[in-house]
Amino acid sequence: MFPWAVAILYLVCDAWFGQAFEEHIACGMTQKEKNGVLCDCSSCDRIWSRQQIETDACCECRSYLILDLSQLQVEYTTLGDAVVLGDKGNNSVLKHNNGGLLFIPSNICAYPNIRRLDLSGNMIVDVQDMSCLGKLDELKLERNLISSLKQDTFAGMFTLRILDLSQNNIHTMEVGTLGIHLPQLKSIDLSYNELETFDISNFNLYSFCEMNLNNNKLRKLVNNASLKTEMLEHRGPGMVDFQYNNLTIFPDWEQLNVGNISSLGLLSDWGFDIRDNHWICDCMLYSFVMLAQKHYKAIDGRDYFNVRCENPPEYRGEIVIQMDPGKLVCNLTELCPSVCTCTGQPSVLNIFVDCVNAGLTELPFDLPNIGGLSLVIDLTGNSISVLDGRPYLSRVRNLDLSNNDITRISPQAARQLINASEINLEGNKISILPKEIQLFPPSVIKLKLDHIICNCALSWMADWIEINKFNETHSTCVLEDTETYISLREYLEVCTPEDLTPFIVGGILGTLAVVVVVSTILSYVFRYELLVLAHYYVSPKWRKWRSRVQPTKENDIYISVSDDVIVWVKDNLIPDLEKDGVSVFVPERDTDPGDVEIDAIMKGISNSQNAFVVISPDYLESQSKMEEFNFLCQSLVRGFSGVLCLLITENIGKTKNPYLSAFMRVKLYHSGMDGDTVSKSLHKIKPIGKRRQ
């Protein structure tokens, strides 16, 4: 069943009223008048007297203004422009019909108490600057030249009940032109305009009674605001008139993205009159017709269900909900091969693809897909040599490939055809059969296995053929490159065990290849961590050997700290180190004022055996210090020229610096500023003989 059809059935159910209206009901049984609007309940059905919400809705739709209104006048100032004259303080009405106005009167905002504005039959081309009319009850602008409506056209008109824009040239309505910003709007007339699309966001009204869209050029509904059906639960319900438009197919509510199909029941009290359009009665209409006929007795007698077909010509004039559902078929051309015919048949839940004797040498690459219908494919009498995999095969119910030239069935095709109820492969010369063919019971697949090539890998087939009785002569096979048939079982008995050496060698080589690839990937991903570990644990032996052939460096330790730590370094750390005879280089102390800073730092690093770095928040925020840290890592960590010891004063979280991040991940750092922690940090890099035990 097409899911949108459920929505259509709901949308054309009977009553106009019946939903809750939140706090926006203007008046009801217990309150007949509000803001000068009187509700008329005299004609409301008596059976609603016990159903307060329905009664209130009925009364609202028959409400009218009871205020005494003073009459305002219009005086033209230039051709097409005018001003309003009259009392500004009282509730008023401005009516100027069949005049020469091109614009809304320029001083209209000076009359905020206008309750009715009727400028019908003029030549107004644009509607703007009217948000000041916050007390307006009725706006009539029919028979003008308005071409578009913007989202804010009616902003601020919180009391507007009646809006008439019929017989204009409106071809564009922005998303949300009508909506909950017009909480009292009951009647909307947009008939006799030029609208080709209508956004369903304009249904987002609290409790409207009627919306007239007849005699436009509507081709489809859109949902550019991505409105969900749940948002309409307490909207409307009203009667929407779509008569005399250019609608041809019912809306696809899933494509409109209105949400869960079951939620469309929230619209069941709305009424949609869709008569006198150009309805195409084909397979896209099937589910609607089935549901409409099922519930026809409940809705019989309502004129707006008298929807008639226009196409195809043979069904023209037939009432939609009285049609024989079996007639509703589609001639599908999209994705249908040009040499085939594809027919959508929802009454039998399938798409029939007729490619008999079409001269095909391979399966079609794609086929139509509508409404989840299964595929029935007839490919009899072609020259197809391989039954290959295709995405649509999982949707196949019946597949007839008899009398082709098929020699091989691919494993993928066998797996994809698992949902099929009938597969006919008779009249082919199948020589290679995949193991997946065992998935099919004999009642599903029809084939003759007279051309299977003998192979020692067919041990599974002997029992399968005999159990399923595919061959009258039991399980036989033909020797390759001959026409000699022998018993498959006899052939398998003389099969020698396969030499496993190639498989073993191949497995070993494959495993080694995987190890190499994985190792390469891991080495790249964790390259900084590997560098840090190697420089800390492996490089000391390398440096011990290299020290024998290279001169001793001038400084034992290079100290890198930021300004927030330098005082502690100068007052505590340096004196203790120098007392032990350790030579120290500190850029802030040992750089001459005239030196270029970067050159002095690079020279200090190259002349230092090891480094001690204190990472603090200020250090991380200093671009120059982080560059200094990178230089140290390049020289000591990547260059294996010494050891870099790291002390982190407090938790610094994640960092983007790859070296610092690597130190933290492999946990080669110390935390804190106490004496024991500092001593442990320095122990690794203080020269032997100068370490405090």
Side-chain angles (χ1 to χ4, degrees):
M1 172 170 27
F2 299 118
W4 47 258
V6 180
I8 294 299
L9 183 63
Y10 283 135
L11 289 173
V12 292
C13 285
D14 59 2
W16 290 13
F17 315 107
Q19 298 288 346
F21 294 104
E22 302 178 357
E23 70 276 21
H24 298 281
I25 295 178
C27 53
M29 293 295 289
T30 59
Q31 185 180 1
K32 305 290 186 177
E33 185 272 332
K34 183 178 181 180
N35 295 331
V37 176
L38 180 66
C39 288
D40 180 8
C41 299
S42 59
S43 59
C44 293
D45 197 330
R46 290 184 180 181
I47 65 171
W48 285 354
S49 60
R50 295 188 303 273
Q51 303 175 28
Q52 187 65 50
I53 292 175
E54 286 83 349
T55 306
D56 288 344
C58 172
C59 298
E60 275 201 327
C61 291
R62 290 157 177 77
S63 59
Y64 54 91
L65 201 64
I66 59 172
L67 297 175
D68 292 329
L69 305 177
S70 61
Q71 183 71 43
L72 301 176
Q73 303 297 324
V74 166
E75 181 179 284
Y76 283 85
T77 55
T78 60
L79 182 63
D81 203 355
V83 295
V84 181
L85 301 177
D87 191 344
K88 299 178 181 179
N90 294 327
N91 292 319
S92 55
V93 55
L94 174 58
K95 182 175 182 180
H96 181 70
N97 298 152
N98 305 313
L101 288 176
L102 297 176
F103 311 100
I104 302 295
S106 58
N107 67 334
I108 194 79
C109 288
Y111 293 83
N113 293 313
I114 294 178
R115 295 304 184 103
R116 285 180 180 163
L117 179 59
D118 184 354
L119 300 176
S120 304
N122 284 276
M123 294 180 287
I124 297 171
V125 296
D126 191 16
V127 182
Q128 58 184 1
D129 299 329
M130 296 181 65
S131 59
C132 53
L133 301 180
K135 296 182 179 180
L136 195 63
D137 177 79
E138 181 177 340
L139 176 59
K140 302 186 71 174
L141 294 170
E142 73 266 29
R143 292 182 290 111
N144 277 281
L145 302 176
I146 300 167
S147 60
S148 63
L149 299 175
K150 297 182 179 180
Q151 190 177 42
D152 60 353
T153 296
F154 307 111
M157 297 185 183
F158 303 113
T159 63
L160 186 64
R161 286 187 314 111
I162 300 172
L163 176 62
D164 189 346
L165 292 163
S166 60
Q167 300 183 64
N168 276 274
N169 297 325
I170 299 171
H171 55 75
T172 303
M173 283 182 67
E174 289 186 357
V175 171
T177 298
L178 307 177
I180 56 175
H181 60 286
L182 300 171
Q184 305 299 338
L185 192 58
K186 306 299 176 192
S187 175
I188 307 102
D189 193 344
L190 289 162
S191 61
Y192 292 94
N193 277 287
E194 304 293 322
L195 291 170
E196 294 189 9
T197 62
F198 187 78
D199 198 295
I200 64 173
S201 65
N202 292 299
F203 290 141
N204 193 22
L205 295 164
Y206 280 113
S207 56
F208 76 93
C209 304
E210 59 181 351
M211 183 181 293
N212 192 348
L213 288 158
N214 68 50
N215 290 282
N216 275 269
K217 297 180 180 179
L218 289 175
R219 296 178 291 103
K220 62 179 179 178
L221 301 181
V222 297
N223 187 16
N224 294 329
S226 299
L227 183 75
K228 300 296 183 182
T229 312
E230 291 82 353
M231 297 177 65
L232 299 177
E233 180 175 4
H234 299 303
R235 306 296 186 253
M239 186 67 187
V240 183
D241 187 350
F242 280 123
Q243 291 186 90
Y244 300 103
N245 278 283
N246 294 330
L247 299 172
T248 57
I249 60 174
F250 284 100
D252 187 330
W253 293 98
E254 284 194 339
Q255 286 188 4
L256 283 175
N257 193 30
V258 294
N260 193 316
I261 290 300
S262 62
S263 66
L264 289 169
L266 300 172
L267 306 182
S268 59
D269 289 327
W270 294 46
F272 282 62
D273 192 340
I274 54 176
R275 291 173 294 172
D276 299 301
N277 279 274
H278 308 295
W279 298 114
I280 299 174
C281 293
D282 60 11
C283 64
M284 305 301 290
L285 196 60
Y286 173 79
S287 294
F288 167 71
V289 171
M290 292 296 293
L291 289 172
Q293 290 179 352
K294 180 179 179 180
H295 299 281
Y296 183 72
K297 290 183 179 179
I299 60 177
D300 192 16
R302 287 162 177 76
D303 289 341
Y304 60 89
F305 286 96
N306 193 25
V307 180
R308 296 178 181 270
C309 302
E310 182 169 313
N311 282 302
E314 59 267 28
Y315 301 149
R316 184 167 298 161
E318 289 196 33
I319 297 175
V320 168
I321 61 174
Q322 295 179 2
M323 287 194 69
D324 175 6
K327 295 180 179 179
L328 299 172
V329 298
C330 292
N331 180 24
L332 306 174
T333 56
E334 186 176 359
L335 299 180
C336 186
S338 59
V339 294
C340 306
T341 59
C342 303
T343 307
Q345 302 172 317
S347 61
V348 289
L349 302 178
N350 66 42
I351 298 172
F352 179 62
V353 181
D354 184 356
C355 299
V356 176
N357 298 318
L360 296 175
T361 58
E362 58 183 345
L363 291 180
F365 286 98
D366 210 344
L367 289 175
N369 183 13
I370 58 169
L373 296 181
S374 300
L375 289 169
V376 175
I377 308 174
D378 192 346
L379 289 160
T380 304
N382 286 281
S383 302
I384 298 171
S385 59
V386 178
L387 176 49
D388 249 333
R390 296 288 188 269
Y392 59 79
L393 291 181
S394 60
R395 297 188 282 120
V396 168
R397 187 169 70 189
N398 295 78
L399 176 62
D400 192 341
L401 278 163
S402 58
N403 300 314
N404 275 267
D405 299 325
I406 296 174
T407 59
R408 182 173 65 86
I409 301 173
S410 75
Q412 181 187 15
R415 290 192 297 269
Q416 291 175 330
L417 284 167
I418 194 62
N419 297 318
S421 58
E422 183 176 338
I423 303 172
N424 189 351
L425 293 168
E426 292 182 330
N428 287 282
K429 297 181 180 180
I430 299 173
S431 58
I432 300 175
L433 208 60
K435 288 184 178 181
E436 286 80 1
I437 205 73
Q438 300 175 88
L439 298 172
F440 300 99
S443 60
V444 170
I445 190 166
K446 297 179 182 179
L447 75 167
K448 292 288 185 180
L449 300 176
D450 299 331
H451 297 82
I452 295 295
I453 296 175
C454 296
N455 189 302
C456 290
L458 297 178
S459 57
W460 63 272
M461 189 181 292
D463 291 334
W464 178 75
I465 291 177
E466 293 188 5
I467 290 172
N468 293 287
K469 298 181 180 179
F470 281 113
N471 278 9
E472 296 177 0
T473 58
H474 302 293
S475 52
T476 61
C477 62
V478 59
L479 295 176
E480 192 169 7
D481 298 328
T482 72
E483 294 184 0
T484 304
Y485 288 85
I486 66 171
S487 166
L488 180 58
R489 287 192 180 279
E490 292 179 4
Y491 180 84
L492 292 174
E493 287 176 0
V494 299
C495 281
T496 56
E498 294 186 29
D499 184 4
L500 299 179
T501 302
F503 296 99
I504 295 173
V505 173
I508 294 172
L509 293 177
T511 302
L512 290 174
V514 171
V515 170
V516 170
V517 171
V518 172
S519 300
T520 302
I521 294 173
L522 292 177
S523 298
Y524 178 77
V525 173
F526 298 104
R527 59 192 183 282
Y528 289 101
E529 288 81 356
L530 293 174
L531 277 173
V532 169
L533 290 170
H535 117 277
Y536 200 78
Y537 292 111
V538 179
S539 69
K541 296 180 180 180
W542 158 254
R543 290 194 300 274
K544 184 177 180 181
W545 172 83
R546 191 169 61 175
S547 64
R548 298 173 183 173
V549 296
Q550 289 185 348
T552 303
K553 294 188 178 182
E554 182 180 339
N555 304 307
D556 293 321
I557 300 175
Y558 182 104
I559 297 178
S560 176
V561 296
S562 55
D563 292 341
D564 58 332
V565 183
I566 190 63
V567 174
W568 172 81
V569 170
K570 290 181 178 179
D571 294 346
N572 298 282
L573 182 61
I574 294 176
D576 286 348
L577 290 172
E578 292 180 341
K579 183 178 179 181
D580 291 338
V582 178
S583 57
V584 175
F585 181 86
V586 183
E588 287 82 358
R589 183 194 68 173
D590 300 325
T591 302
D592 294 332
D595 291 345
V596 177
E597 182 180 4
I598 188 65
D599 293 340
I601 289 173
M602 295 297 292
K603 182 178 179 182
I605 292 173
S606 64
N607 289 332
S608 298
Q609 189 69 39
N610 301 302
F612 178 66
V613 180
V614 180
I615 301 292
S616 64
D618 285 1
Y619 195 103
L620 288 174
E621 293 177 3
S622 172
Q623 182 178 352
S624 61
K625 281 298 175 184
M626 291 307 294
E627 289 177 354
E628 183 180 334
F629 177 74
N630 287 334
F631 291 147
L632 286 167
C633 290
Q634 290 287 342
S635 175
L636 302 179
V637 178
R638 186 177 288 275
F640 292 104
S641 63
V643 176
L644 189 154
C645 282
L646 199 63
L647 180 68
I648 299 178
T649 61
E650 57 186 88
N651 185 13
I652 60 174
K654 293 184 178 181
T655 175
K656 294 182 179 179
N657 186 283
Y659 288 109
L660 180 55
S661 180
F663 270 99
M664 295 173 67
R665 274 199 287 267
V666 300
K667 300 189 182 302
L668 286 180
Y669 68 94
H670 291 86
S671 300
M673 292 285 290
D674 57 277
D676 289 341
T677 301
V678 174
S679 178
K680 290 178 182 178
S681 298
L682 293 170
H683 184 77
K684 181 79 173 178
I685 60 175
K686 290 177 66 176
I688 297 173
K690 300 179 183 180
R691 299 176 181 173
R692 293 181 183 178
Q693 301 300 323

